[in-house]
Amino acid sequence: MLGPFTIDTIFPGFQQLGEQFDIGTAALQQVTSAYLVAFAVMSVVHGPLSDALGRRTVMIGGLAGYVVASIACALAPSFGWLLVGRAAQGVFAGAATVVSRAVIPDLFSGPTARRLMSQVMLIFAVAPAIAPVIGGWLLLLGQWPLIFWFVAGYAVLGILLVVLALPETLPPQDRTPLRLGSVVGGLWTVARSWRFERLAVAGAMTFGAYILYVLTAPIVVVDLLGQGEQDFWKLFVPLIGGMALGSFTGGRLASRVTGERLVDVSMVAAVVIGLLNIALVWISPSLPWAVVGPALFGVVIGLAFPVVQLTLLELFPRHRGSAASMAAFSVLLSNALIAGVVGPLITTSLVSTAATSAAFATVGALLWWWHRRDPVVVQEADAAGQ
């Protein structure tokens, strides 16, 4: 939960940050994008390191660095130093979030792996949904630095859980040499695969239709819907409810419906939901109609995203850490651009926000359709059917 949890725990504190450092909404969005850019860049490193050093070592080291970075944020004397601390959080947070994805295919495959990845997606859904609610509660007890002290304590708990409860899932004989050539070679093997690139962008775009509302929540909730610091739950409860329902349903369907067919239906649904969302906020730009579309996007992401992620990892069984890193990089880079560039530009109204979300969903669906029509993919599907 650490990676997505860190994104928006601080959202309710944006008003205090703006007043203390005398900055506006666009500058405050950089608190999110600084974290996401660093997370995206370093996510490329964590996976290959875990392929060489083992999963637990990288996770524990990253969590320890995250604790230090969070304390630096809490003690930041200026907005510039706060951004440095946020970037440092991003550097280390991926060690747990990215590497955890590689643990599942280390141990499981087929429907079991899909069920577990759906559970992970449910956890990922809980994190950004409860984070701003917890942040709002913390502001009732103190000022914004308390939020960073809280996430530092959360990371300490994460270290204890990994040390006490998580076995090493990558035995030494299956590890790659810790050499620059091996690390870069693994990443290059993944990155140069056109099938991987197309599928990764499809997943990132579809996820973008949903995460747009998470990353621009301070603007959507406060500026567009006219709510207060303790009202983020009005957006995030529907978001988490939708993804929880999708993740639960996807897990139950894992042994009944093929992953590809599930994603086929989900992608069509995403395009329809995008159009419905535009219509709803055009007719009634207020609650509860403004959160119906985002909640339905959550259902689609909960169904489709675990399958897409497993498909990406299964393309490279000898480089799962590298594949997990590159898959995370594509999503995180997209998230960073949404938070720092796209979000401030398009959140002028609920209609423009909904239209952008629909565009992301459409691009993702088209890329998935292209992937499914790839002759190699069709041949593999036929072979599996036989």
Side-chain angles (χ1 to χ4, degrees), residues 119-131:
Q119 292 175 15
V120 169
M121 284 302 300
L122 178 58
I123 293 171
F124 282 1
V126 170
I130 66 173

Side-chain angles (χ1 to χ4, degrees), residues 232-252:
F232 280 80
W233 66 271
K234 295 179 181 179
L235 172 64
F236 282 98
V237 167
L239 286 173
I240 184 177
M243 187 175 282
L245 176 60
S247 299
F248 174 78
T249 304
R252 295 295 296 269

Side-chain angles (χ1 to χ4, degrees), residues 200-283:
V201 175
M205 288 293 99
T206 307
F207 191 63
Y210 170 85
I211 203 68
L212 172 65
Y213 286 92
V214 175
L215 299 177
T216 61
I219 300 174
V220 172
V221 173
V222 178
D223 296 343
L224 300 184
L225 292 174
Q227 304 297 303
E229 291 179 352
Q230 274 71 49
D231 293 325
F232 280 80
W233 66 271
K234 295 179 181 179
L235 172 64
F236 282 98
V237 167
L239 286 173
I240 184 177
M243 187 175 282
L245 176 60
S247 299
F248 174 78
T249 304
R252 295 295 296 269
L253 294 176
S255 58
R256 304 176 187 177
V257 181
T258 65
E260 292 77 9
R261 179 59 61 188
L262 188 64
V263 179
D264 289 345
V265 175
S266 299
M267 290 296 185
V268 174
V271 176
V272 174
I273 291 167
L275 297 175
L276 174 64
N277 191 30
I278 295 172
L280 287 174
V281 296
W282 182 281
I283 296 170

